[in-house]
Amino acid sequence: MPGRLVHMVALGIVSCIMCSCTLEHMHTRSITISGGRGVPCKTGAGGPDLWTAWRPRLQMNPPLLNLRGGSSDNAVGAGLNPKNVHKTRKMALKAAKASQNETALQRVREGEKALEMGDLVLALEIFEQEIKASSAAVAKPKHHPPPRKPVKAPEVNKDEPTKLHKMRLMLAHPSQNLQAKPIRTGMDLSRNFAQNSNETLQTFLRTFGEQYRTRFPPEPNGFLHIGHAKAMAFNFGQAALAREQGIGGETILRFDDTNPEAEEQVYIDAILEDVAWLGHKPIRVAYTSDYFAQMYDLALQLIDQAQAYTCRCSREEVGKQRAAVRSARQLGLALPEEAKSPFRDTPPEQSRATFEAMRRGEYRDGEVCLRMKGDLASDNPAMWDPILYRVKHHAHPRTGTAWCIYPSYDFSHCIADSIEGITHSCCTLEFASRQAPDGPYYWLLDALGLYKPVTWEYSRCSIVNNVLSKRKLQTLVTGGHVEGWDDPRLLTIAGLRRRGYTPS
């Protein structure tokens, strides 16, 4: 017991000496205590001579060049690990061969002989010396490029506000709108419905003037997000640039309120607040529901022209018909009968009577709809008889129960643009096929004899690791996963405002 206590005291004293050593007078020794592992100890000049005091308990080993995790279990190697020495030999041999120096190779052979004799310390010393010498011989001098001349910073006018970006006017002048949409390569010219006659264009310019008129048409089924901020920046921004150039420009804020199931007054109020907070000033606020009566009359006109028909197919049946058209086109076959609605050739008089009965509320939701009699041979899938009207017995935020049939986006979008005198209708790219020269946007305006605005698409705003889809945001809000539409974790405009972002 006393022997073990002395042992522990000795270790404590050695540790204290190690902590109090000065960096200027250090040298390393290996101490083996009673047959234990080699312990490096750093001593400084002027310290107590513990080596003499504890010689009966401490067995001194000679100084080593590099222990590399060695162990005193190998008496010949003085605490060295033979595996590490062999590894160093391989490195030295590789470095010597790279230097192509015969003397270096001869020195490595001498180290290998020392290794065979069991002198690990000498072998390790030779190998490390040759690694350093050979590496220095093959090392390439570092290339230091000439110092660069300092660049003088441009002078900044502190009185002028900093502009993060400068948008340019990218939309053509309204007086040039004879071909409202460029014809894509390979398109059948007989299906080009995007042409305005000169007479139609001149009548439009006399009625609405030659100024730019854009619109921002949000659907009031949720709060606006950062993608809507991008759309506003473009639509309001293009009109503002036209004003700056003296041409004149204005933007209409139009609520696309054609789906009463998902729309609420609280969303309308939130959208108005967000638009105002961002600093945009629409020339007026409009609603698609303002034109319900006109759209109903235009739908009757299409029916009378045999360009629309009432259809009793379910949503699943309509999907199968479109799939049959797509399959026949891919295989180069004639359209099978199942690709066409069985009601497609209904006489106009019968379709009109059914549509009027829809208006009076004589059909249940989803029981019957009005479809466009498009072109099933077209290579544009948007022309394969899209739905124009459907039955929805839901109270509308503005019109109440005055209507129980509501137009689809395909029908209402183009007509509202033409009625309001929009010169440039700008949307995201998912609407490109609908707004193509051979798409339903221009087909409907052509069939109804209405003015055709320019349509222009830009990319959607997408931010990684974030949710921007209104449908998905609605799920987060209604599911209680977030505090509300203005939760700071969401990229809604209200949420970003709560984070502390400014309108700019």
Side-chain angles (χ1 to χ4, degrees):
M1 187 69 178
R4 292 184 63 183
L5 180 62
V6 171
H7 221 102
M8 294 172 64
V9 171
L11 285 173
I13 295 174
V14 172
S15 300
C16 293
I17 295 172
M18 290 172 64
C19 296
S20 62
C21 292
T22 59
L23 296 175
E24 292 80 10
H25 303 87
M26 284 187 178
H27 63 274
T28 303
R29 297 189 178 186
S30 176
I31 307 170
T32 303
I33 301 176
S34 298
R37 289 186 175 273
V39 181
C41 177
K42 297 178 181 179
T43 62
D49 190 6
L50 291 177
W51 309 111
T52 305
W54 294 100
R55 188 174 297 278
R57 289 287 177 182
L58 304 181
Q59 176 189 354
M60 301 300 299
N61 288 334
L64 304 180
L65 294 173
N66 189 349
L67 295 179
R68 294 183 178 272
S71 171
S72 63
D73 295 337
N74 188 340
V76 178
L80 290 179
N81 190 331
K83 290 184 179 180
N84 290 339
V85 178
H86 281 283
K87 196 178 294 184
T88 308
R89 179 192 69 81
K90 293 180 181 179
M91 296 170 58
L93 183 61
K94 184 177 180 181
K97 289 180 178 179
S99 66
Q100 298 180 350
N101 189 335
E102 188 61 34
T103 305
L105 290 171
Q106 183 62 34
R107 286 283 294 165
V108 172
R109 294 191 191 100
E110 293 176 4
E112 290 174 343
K113 291 180 181 179
L115 188 60
E116 292 174 359
M117 298 294 294
D119 194 345
L120 302 185
V121 175
L122 178 61
L124 182 63
E125 179 182 1
I126 295 173
F127 294 149
E128 288 187 336
Q129 288 177 355
E130 288 312 308
I131 290 174
K132 293 180 182 179
S134 300
S135 299
V138 299
K140 296 181 180 180
K142 293 184 178 180
H143 173 68
H144 297 283
R148 299 178 62 181
K149 296 181 179 179
V151 180
K152 185 179 180 182
E155 296 182 1
V156 179
N157 185 1
K158 296 182 179 180
D159 298 329
E160 182 181 350
T162 304
K163 295 182 179 179
L164 298 179
H165 65 278
K166 178 65 176 176
M167 188 186 294
R168 61 183 178 87
L169 187 59
M170 293 181 280
L171 305 176
H173 193 276
S175 62
Q176 302 175 11
N177 187 21
L178 287 173
Q179 178 65 41
K181 194 66 172 281
I183 300 172
R184 68 178 183 276
T185 305
M187 194 189 85
D188 185 354
L189 296 181
S190 65
R191 293 189 172 99
N192 176 24
F193 307 113
Q195 284 183 313
N196 284 310
S197 66
N198 188 61
E199 181 182 354
T200 301
L201 177 60
Q202 295 306 318
T203 301
F204 174 85
L205 295 175
R206 286 194 298 269
T207 304
F208 294 99
E210 295 190 3
Q211 63 181 349
Y212 285 71
R213 185 176 291 101
T214 61
R215 88 284 179 274
F216 175 59
E219 186 178 354
N221 60 352
F223 280 41
L224 301 182
H225 53 66
I226 196 169
H228 295 100
K230 173 186 175 180
M232 280 188 274
F234 187 80
N235 283 285
F236 283 95
Q238 289 291 291
L241 286 171
R243 287 196 302 272
E244 290 177 7
Q245 297 182 16
I247 305 171
E250 58 190 28
T251 303
I252 295 174
L253 171 58
R254 183 209 308 150
F255 288 96
D256 180 27
D257 54 343
T258 58
N259 184 14
E261 292 178 270
E263 294 158 3
E264 298 179 22
Q265 185 62 42
V266 63
Y267 298 141
I268 295 175
D269 297 338
I271 291 172
L272 290 171
E273 180 183 1
D274 289 343
V275 172
W277 181 72
L278 287 172
H280 301 303
K281 297 179 180 179
I283 192 67
R284 67 185 179 94
V285 176
Y287 298 81
T288 302
S289 56
D290 295 340
Y291 317 117
F292 277 176
Q294 290 172 265
M295 291 180 182
Y296 177 75
D297 292 338
L298 291 171
L300 289 173
Q301 179 183 332
L302 278 179
I303 294 172
D304 293 340
Q305 295 171 183
Q307 294 176 310
Y309 62 95
T310 53
C311 178
R312 297 173 187 267
C313 295
S314 64
R315 178 177 295 182
E316 292 74 18
E317 291 172 330
V318 172
K320 291 180 181 178
Q321 292 162 12
R322 295 175 65 85
V325 177
R326 182 176 291 105
S327 177
R329 289 192 57 82
Q330 290 174 348
L331 298 174
L333 304 176
L335 289 178
E337 284 301 317
E338 58 267 24
K340 302 177 183 179
S341 167
F343 306 97
R344 197 170 197 268
D345 297 324
T346 301
E349 298 78 13
Q350 186 177 340
S351 287
R352 183 185 180 97
T354 304
F355 188 61
E356 290 173 344
M358 290 169 57
R359 170 73 177 89
R360 293 191 297 268
E362 298 178 10
Y363 293 96
R364 298 186 303 272
D365 289 13
E367 188 176 356
V368 64
C369 65
L370 182 70
R371 295 178 69 179
M372 184 182 95
K373 196 171 184 179
D375 185 3
L376 299 180
S378 173
D379 59 356
N380 186 347
M383 286 294 292
W384 299 344
D385 292 11
I387 294 174
L388 303 182
Y389 263 90
R390 66 270 202 225
V391 178
K392 287 182 178 290
H393 290 279
H394 293 273
H396 190 277
R398 297 188 70 247
T399 62
T401 57
W403 294 87
C404 62
I405 58 172
Y406 294 93
S408 66
Y409 182 85
D410 283 323
F411 188 70
S412 63
H413 178 207
C414 56
I415 292 175
D417 283 348
S418 188
I419 291 174
E420 292 174 348
I422 300 299
T423 59
H424 299 84
S425 179
C426 305
C427 297
T428 47
L429 284 169
E430 70 246 42
F431 300 101
S433 61
R434 299 177 181 181
Q435 298 177 165
D438 59 347
Y441 183 99
Y442 289 112
W443 186 94
L444 286 165
L445 294 178
D446 188 71
L448 296 170
L450 299 176
Y451 170 79
K452 302 159 188 172
V454 170
T455 55
W456 209 85
E457 294 87 28
Y458 48 82
S459 62
R460 296 184 67 179
C461 180
S462 179
I463 299 179
V464 295
N465 301 325
N466 283 278
V467 177
L468 291 185
S469 165
K470 266 193 187 179
R471 178 177 52 82
K472 294 178 181 177
L473 289 172
Q474 183 77 257
T475 301
L476 292 176
V477 173
T478 57
H481 303 288
V482 293
E483 294 178 359
W485 286 94
D486 61 346
D487 191 302
R489 291 169 292 181
L490 301 180
L491 292 185
T492 57
I493 295 176
L496 292 169
R497 183 163 60 240
R498 281 191 64 193
R499 284 196 201 185
Y501 281 94
T502 63
S504 60

